[in-house]
Amino acid sequence: MTALAQPAIVVRAPGKLFVAGEYAVVTPGEPSVLIAVDRYLTVSLTEGVDAGSIHSPEYGRMPVRWTRGADGLTLDREHHPYDYVIAAIEAAEQLRSERGLPPRFFDLRIDSGLDDPSGRKFGLGSSAAVTVATIGAIDEFYGFDLGLRGRYELAMLATIAVAPNASGGDVAASTYGGWIGYRSPDRDRLRAARARDGVTAVLGSDAWAGSEIIRLSAPAGLQLLVGWTGHPASTERLVSGVSRGTSTTGDDHSTFLSQSRSCVGDLWRALAPHDSEDAPDDDLALRAIRRNRRLLQELGARSGVTIETEGLRILCDAAERVGAAGKPSGAGGGDCGIVLAPVGADVSGLLRTWETNDIRHLTIGVHPPEGEHHGG
């Protein structure tokens, strides 16, 4: 039963797209670039009586997929968004208990605008968005006063309780908004610290050393375009497949990390804030995106995992033919590709090629920054 007298707390979190640094970002301290997008997931919280509840009209019809492997049929189930909601509630409740606040019940309603009307996922980070929005709503409910960094850290602790290898770049983008540069923390260290010392001791502690979230500027003269190939992809399965297909300690992996670090470093410089010593450099940004695409192609070939699908190849090649730069966004294997197109590029021709090949142009913009620059 819901207490009707209490007004609802409503928190929305934007989805995300990776711009560069995929796969490398899973290694702690390796740089990446993400944007928060103007598609949202909303969590509404009302105080409950005797019990709490979680309800979402979208997630009630999520399919469970299966695949065939060497050992027969296996369920191909990325974690259900409710897994992340429960993990967020557990992390927040642990913090509440450690602070000595009295327990209260609450009801959550989740409404997602990150998928298409049929429920197919675009790959915009719904798991991160639901975690960030849930943490934000509970933060307001209990009066934790976490701030942006605290919300990111608590949402990250919840995320890695469900997906231990998650980089958290999507969590950072959903928390901070805008264009960000991101380096992941050491998740093994965070889990150990939480188990040993509790949530309160981990927030703001040295356990986050090596992680970083910085504010970047949008490229001054480049248009962002997003294409969806119509084939949802499983990030966890792809990352696991690449890990199985490549050594994470050999020379090839070290070379990949080094090349990714150089490439993304150039993109950080190209997107340096306008008040810094370095003015935004669109040409450098385009070169970095093209280099990152090649790195992902080589990683896919080396691991035997299809990162750049045929749809993504068509999407990216069409961009390069008109002087733009395109690449898969995120783990690849389907989902979205992103393009940065300079002024004067034949964008209409690019979009015609996409339409001919059943690639859907998503009218997506960037969600504005939520707060000031914050280093890790």
Side-chain angles (χ1 to χ4, degrees), residues 224-266:
L224 173 71
L225 300 167
V226 180
W228 184 54
T229 62
H231 297 284
S234 167
T235 298
E236 287 189 61
R237 192 178 76 249
L238 286 159
V239 171
S240 296
V242 168
S243 296
R244 287 194 303 271
T246 60
S247 168
T248 57
T249 57
D251 290 341
D252 283 345
H253 189 66
S254 296
T255 299
F256 169 72
L257 292 180
S258 175
Q259 291 176 337
S260 178
R261 193 180 313 130
S262 170
C263 173
V264 179
D266 281 350

Side-chain angles (χ1 to χ4, degrees), residues 17-23 33 123 225-229 233 238 288-298 300 305-317 319-320 325-340 354:
L17 284 170
F18 264 94
V19 176
E22 296 90 344
Y23 288 98
V33 174
L225 300 167
V226 180
W228 184 54
T229 62
L238 286 159
I289 293 295
R290 294 181 187 122
R291 284 169 58 201
N292 202 186
R293 180 193 178 192
R294 306 291 180 246
L295 281 176
L296 293 176
Q297 288 174 329
E298 292 166 4
V305 172
T306 303
I307 296 174
E308 185 174 291
T309 61
E310 179 66 9
L312 287 170
R313 182 192 65 77
I314 292 169
L315 183 154
C316 297
D317 285 351
E320 294 191 1
K327 60 178 288 296
S329 174
D335 281 337
C336 293
I338 58 105
V339 168
L340 293 181
W354 286 6

Side-chain angles (χ1 to χ4, degrees), residues 3-223:
L4 299 177
Q6 296 293 326
I9 294 170
V10 180
V11 175
R12 72 174 189 172
K16 68 81 182 78
L17 284 170
F18 264 94
V19 176
E22 296 90 344
Y23 288 98
V25 71
V26 176
T27 301
E30 293 297 336
S32 61
V33 174
L34 299 95
I35 55 170
V37 300
D38 57 359
R39 300 279 183 100
Y40 303 94
L41 184 142
T42 302
V43 169
S44 302
L45 181 154
T46 52
E47 186 152 15
V49 177
D50 299 330
S53 68
I54 306 168
H55 174 68
S56 173
E58 287 86 2
Y59 296 149
R61 63 170 185 267
M62 285 187 68
V64 175
R65 300 171 60 203
W66 58 270
T67 56
R68 290 186 179 90
D71 300 322
L73 299 183
T74 58
L75 288 180
D76 176 25
R77 173 182 176 270
E78 284 229 305
H79 294 290
H80 194 287
Y82 283 164
D83 296 342
Y84 290 92
V85 175
I86 293 296
I89 294 172
E90 288 175 340
E93 285 294 309
Q94 184 177 352
L95 178 61
R96 175 204 57 75
S97 177
E98 290 171 3
R99 290 191 177 185
L101 298 173
R104 298 155 68 188
F105 289 110
F106 48 83
D107 301 322
L108 299 177
R109 178 183 169 92
I110 302 161
D111 294 286
S112 178
L114 298 180
D115 308 322
D116 79 354
S118 71
R120 290 188 300 177
K121 296 171 64 177
F122 289 138
L124 299 179
S126 57
S127 298
V130 78
T131 308
V132 169
T134 300
I135 290 294
I138 301 174
D139 177 21
E140 189 173 336
F141 181 63
Y142 278 125
F144 291 150
D145 194 25
L146 291 172
L148 285 181
R149 180 70 191 193
R151 286 188 178 188
Y152 155 74
E153 291 186 355
L154 193 57
M156 187 62 183
L157 291 177
T159 296
I160 61 176
V162 178
N165 296 321
S167 73
D170 48 2
V171 176
S174 287
T175 303
Y176 281 85
W179 290 72
I180 64 166
Y182 178 78
R183 299 180 196 267
S184 67
D186 185 324
R187 281 84 72 199
D188 290 340
R189 183 170 61 200
L190 287 176
R191 281 192 301 276
R194 178 182 177 181
R196 182 182 64 244
D197 304 322
V199 168
T200 304
V202 175
L203 297 180
S205 73
D206 291 343
W208 300 91
S211 68
E212 189 174 14
I213 303 167
I214 65 167
R215 178 70 59 214
L216 299 175
S217 293
L222 300 176
Q223 178 182 355

